[in-house]
Amino acid sequence: MAQKILVVDDEPQIRKFMRISLGANGYEVLEAETAEQGVTLATAMAPDLVVLDLGLPDLDGQDAISMIRTASAVPIIVLSVRSGETDKVEALDRGANDYVVKPFGIGELMARIRAALRPRAGSGEEGASEVLTIGALVLDFARRVVTRGGDEVRLSRKEYDLLRLLAEKADHVLTHRQILRDIWGPAHVEDTAYLRVYVNQLRQKLEANPSEPRLIVTEPGVGYRLKRGE
């Protein structure tokens, strides 16, 4: 069966464009033009993914994210003209999985959708695995072993915990606050310099060229994303 994608946007031309583009890529499309309709459909129709605008006529899309999150773990991709870091961070902190700024390229959006729909390592979803392979890098979560090109990579406990968190949400953006809260606790959510040190340490151990990272990439002003490839 085709995967269902719910598009929540008050602009008819955007919904039409998304309906045609998503349909051409084999997805079934559900549509809503208000936050209330979107939340209702997200709960009642169990879509596989939600594409959500923030500028909705009845309710701010940030609140819609929170409302959907209280009832469902469905992946949410924000599609908005708001390009500020504050909006991006708030959306991701409220539970969005990704954020795409309008105007957007359909190729990029489709890649983000495919990434969001991939099973997560260790998530318990059908098809998920305790082993994640990215090029020469192999993350064996069951054994807590990381290898690169067949050679074991020695990681500290915090380095491993950080890598596992990023890998469990591979291809998704994690904000600085999310990472710091989950790895170091609520008292450290502002310690972004501390996080940067650990990310750099991981890059030195895992990246082919740490100065031009392709595995752990920076989302400027927002956080980090572990890229699994297209």
Side-chain angles (χ1 to χ4, degrees), residues 20-40:
I20 294 171
S21 300
L22 292 170
N25 281 271
Y27 298 108
E28 178 183 344
V29 181
L30 307 173
E31 298 179 39
E33 59 182 329
T34 66
E36 182 180 1
Q37 291 173 0
V39 172
T40 298

Side-chain angles (χ1 to χ4, degrees), residues 104-144:
F104 59 95
I106 192 62
E108 177 191 2
L109 180 61
M110 289 301 164
R112 300 288 184 99
I113 288 173
R114 290 193 297 272
L117 289 171
R118 289 184 188 126
R120 301 289 152 225
S123 68
E125 299 175 30
E126 184 179 352
S129 171
E130 282 293 310
V131 177
L132 177 63
T133 301
I134 308 173
L137 186 68
V138 179
L139 314 178
D140 187 334
F141 298 122
R143 297 169 54 224
R144 291 182 64 90

Side-chain angles (χ1 to χ4, degrees), residues 54 62 81-93 99 101 173 175-177 192 218-223:
L54 295 182
Q62 301 281 15
V81 296
R82 301 182 194 173
S83 59
E85 291 176 3
T86 300
D87 289 305
K88 293 179 182 179
V89 170
E90 181 179 355
L92 294 164
D93 277 343
Y99 197 110
V101 176
V173 182
T175 67
H176 300 126
R177 291 177 65 88
T192 55
T218 300
E219 297 288 341
V222 178

